[in-house]
Amino acid sequence: RGVFCGLRGRDMMKLKRIQTVFLLILCAVMIAVGFPVTVRADMGPKPSVRIRFENMGDELCYGTLLSKTKSTGPASAWDGVESHAKHSDNKSYSYADFDYEIWKAFAEYQDADGYYFLQEGWKVSETKNIEWTYYPPQSFKILLYYPKTQTFIVSDIYERYAFDTYYTVDMEGIHINEVRYEEVNSTNKVLEASRSYDYSQELISLVVRIFFTILIEMIIGLLFGYRHKKQILLLAGVNGGTQIVLNVLLNIINYNAGQLAFVLFYVLLEIFVFVIEARIFYGRLSKMGNTKQPKWLAVVYAFAANAASFGVGMMAAQWMPGIF
C-alpha cells in the first residue's frame, strides 16, 4: 500500500511533485558544492595514516612505513631492477624525497618480521610528521633513519584503525647514539606509537551539527505557521530524534569509510528522513493548531526543512570541515 497510504487524489499528486522537486534540489546542491558527478576508477578520498612525532630533535632524520605486503596502491618494494629504484638520482623519480644513499639504506634494511620498504619516505626532521595519504599499508611499522650515525629506529606492528588513522610517537628519552642493531636490524623495537584520533573534536562536531540542524528545522516550522505548543513539541521531538540518529550514523560512516561515503549516505539518509517525517507530520500537525491548516502542508514542511538543513550542512562542510 506504500508509505503514504493515507494520501488520496490531489494530495498524492502534490506529494509526487514535492518529492521530484526535492530530488532536483538535492542534485543542484551537490553540483553547487562540488560533488563528483563524473565516475572515475580512482574517484574520491583515500584512506590515510598520519604519524606525529613529539619531542623530536633537529638531527637529520628520514622516515617511512614498512608494509606487511609488497605493495599497496602505486607503492611497492624494489624488485631489483635499477630503473625501478625510486630515488631522486633516478631521472624517472626525480621528485622522490630520498637521494640514492638514503634510498639504499632503506632498501637494504632487513626487518625481523619480514615487513617491506615500499620506497615511500619523508624527511621527518623537517616536518615532524609522516603523512601517507594515498593507499597506505593496512599493517605497518614505523621506521626512522639517521644518516649521520647510520642508525635505524623501528616500532612494533601497528594497524590502520579508521579511514583516517592518527598515531603519535613521543621521542623523549630515545637517545639516537645509544640505539644499535646487529645483522637483522629490527630486533630491537624502540618507537612506541599511541592512537591519537581526536574523538573529543568529533563529539563536539556531532553536537554542534545536531543543534544547528534542529534549529534550522524549527525555524522553518515557525515560518510555516506551526506555533502551537503541541506542534512545537512534536516538531522538536521528531526532528531531534531523526537528526540524532542521522548524524550519529554519518559520523560512523565518515570514521570508517571517509568523506565520499559520507556524502553518498548523507543524500540517501536525508531522503529516508524526509519520508519518515512527512509520514509522521501528515495529519497530525494540522490537528494540533488553533487555525485550520491543510494536511499536505506538513509534507511540504518536511521537504523544505530537510532540503534546507541538507543544503546548509553541505555548504558548511566546505566552509568549516572541522565542525561539519
Side-chain angles (χ1 to χ4, degrees), residues 18 48 66 88 105 117 134 136 164 169 182 203 209 221 230 242 256 309:
I18 290 168
S48 68
L66 301 178
S88 58
F117 168 56
Y134 193 78
D164 294 306
V169 175
E182 304 294 336
L203 180 60
R209 286 201 308 273
K230 290 183 178 180
T242 56
N256 290 287
S309 62

Side-chain angles (χ1 to χ4, degrees), residues 128-142:
K128 306 299 189 286
N129 286 285
I130 288 177
E131 296 186 350
W132 197 317
T133 57
Y134 193 78
Y135 291 106
Q138 175 65 40
S139 178
F140 60 89
K141 289 184 175 184
I142 306 165

Side-chain angles (χ1 to χ4, degrees), residues 58-181:
D58 295 325
E59 185 177 352
L60 182 61
C61 175
Y62 294 88
T64 189
L65 300 181
L66 301 178
S67 172
K68 184 177 182 178
T69 59
K70 286 188 176 182
S71 65
T72 175
S76 60
W78 185 46
D79 58 6
V81 179
E82 288 297 329
S83 60
H84 296 168
K86 191 176 178 180
H87 53 76
S88 58
D89 296 335
N90 184 341
K91 292 182 180 180
S92 298
Y93 299 101
S94 57
Y95 60 87
D97 291 326
F98 293 158
D99 60 26
Y100 174 73
E101 292 300 326
I102 302 300
W103 171 87
K104 182 181 178 183
F106 277 105
E108 293 179 348
Y109 179 85
Q110 300 177 51
D111 182 68
D113 298 307
Y115 276 56
Y116 299 94
F117 168 56
L118 301 186
Q119 305 188 83
E120 295 287 342
W122 295 261
K123 188 180 285 187
V124 180
S125 51
E126 288 186 356
T127 64
K128 306 299 189 286
N129 286 285
I130 288 177
E131 296 186 350
W132 197 317
T133 57
Y134 193 78
Y135 291 106
Q138 175 65 40
S139 178
F140 60 89
K141 289 184 175 184
I142 306 165
L143 181 66
L144 299 182
Y145 176 61
Y146 290 83
K148 184 177 179 180
T149 57
Q150 298 184 346
T151 301
F152 284 102
I153 306 179
V154 71
S155 74
D156 207 337
I157 298 170
Y158 293 96
E159 301 281 340
R160 280 187 5 228
Y161 59 85
F163 188 85
D164 294 306
T165 294
Y166 294 85
Y167 281 98
T168 297
V169 175
D170 189 351
M171 299 292 290
E172 188 169 1
I174 298 178
H175 303 289
I176 306 305
N177 294 330
E178 296 178 6
V179 180
R180 289 290 183 271
Y181 299 95

